[in-house]
Structure formats: C-alpha cells, structure tokens
Amino acid sequence: MNVRRFQASDINQIVTLFYETVHSVNGRDYSQEQLDAWAPVDEQALKLKAWEESMSRNMTYVAETGGVITGFSDMTVEGHLDRLYVHKDYQGQGIASALVERLEQEAKRWGLTEINVEASITARPFFEKRGYRVIESQVVERRGVQLVNYKMLKSL
C-alpha cells in the first residue's frame, strides 16, 4: 500500500469508492433509506466537481494498492477531518489508520492542537481506538432522512 497526495485524476475512483463503500459497509448501521440519502446515486456527477474542488483545497491523501485507490481521507486547514473512506473490499487492512496517521502528522506540522470529525456509527469505534472522544451525538438530515453521527475530537 502506498499513501500519497490526492491528484485531480483520482476523483472518479474516489467518488465510486465512496458510493460503493457507503452502500455496503455502512449497511450494518444504517437503513437502506438512510444509505440512499447519504450517498444518492443521482448526485454522483455533482460530487465529482464539488469533491475535486474541496479535496484540492484540503490536505487530501489517497491509499493505493496496485494502481487501485483503496481509501482516501481529507482534512481542512482548521483541523476538520472531513472524509475517511476505505474501499469495501479492503476493510481491516490498516488503510484508514495509515490515512489518519498521515493527516494527524500534517495537523501537528501546521501547529494545530486538535482535530475534529463527524463520525458515522460505523466509524465511531475506529476513531475511539485512535484517541478521539465523543463530544456529542447528533442527528443530521439528508434529503429529509435523519442519520445519527457523532461529533468527535482528538487533542494532539
């Protein structure tokens, strides 16, 4: 596995990975209705442009194995860990840990003292193992559907 900086040419694989991962991995914690609201197929084209722009602004890393993007994560300059997704076929291989470790190192170099994230039910245990603590549970609404997630924080 190689962890490298995001390139605009990665965006198609990244958006596909996002949709496939949400609809398979997160299915154990969210209903089909919630998954469809979280990752609606009809928004895929819009996500390509919007995510390419935000990932180019953010500190964004991708994990790659044999030319296949197996995960990605990004963080704003303010220390908000925005997205962390690992390919549905590459779960449990240390990819998320490698990506978050890289972002945490970057945050320290920037002089940040903490990182915050809004973690899904599925991702919460991963972040807790890395020293993030739940600040509050929240309900967010996507397309009229409510989803539970957790505001979490880690002091660096």
Side-chain angles (χ1 to χ4, degrees), residues 138-150:
Q138 63 182 7
V139 177
V140 295
E141 190 173 307
R142 300 274 188 269
R143 295 183 146 206
V145 177
Q146 295 186 338
L147 297 97
V148 172
N149 71 13
Y150 302 93

Side-chain angles (χ1 to χ4, degrees), residues 14 17 21 24 31 38 43 50 72 74 76 78 82 88 90 92-93 97 101-102 105 113-115:
I14 283 174
L17 183 157
T21 299
S24 59
S31 70
W38 181 355
E43 286 184 2
F72 68 93
D74 68 324
T76 67
E78 297 83 21
D82 194 13
K88 64 182 178 62
Y90 292 85
Q93 297 181 24
S97 292
E101 180 65 32
R102 186 70 61 94
Q105 290 171 359
T113 58
E114 59 187 29
I115 295 177

Side-chain angles (χ1 to χ4, degrees), residues 41-92:
V41 177
D42 65 335
E43 286 184 2
Q44 206 160 349
L46 293 172
K47 272 212 186 332
L48 289 170
K49 183 172 176 18
W51 278 23
E52 181 182 341
E53 289 173 4
S54 67
M55 289 180 163
S56 294
R57 276 192 314 274
N58 292 347
M59 175 56 60
T60 306
Y61 287 100
V62 298
E64 193 174 46
T65 303
V68 174
I69 294 178
T70 55
F72 68 93
S73 188
D74 68 324
M75 180 179 64
T76 67
V77 295
E78 297 83 21
H80 177 68
L81 198 158
D82 194 13
R83 291 166 280 232
L84 172 64
Y85 292 92
V86 173
H87 192 291
K88 64 182 178 62
D89 297 333
Y90 292 85
Q91 298 283 310

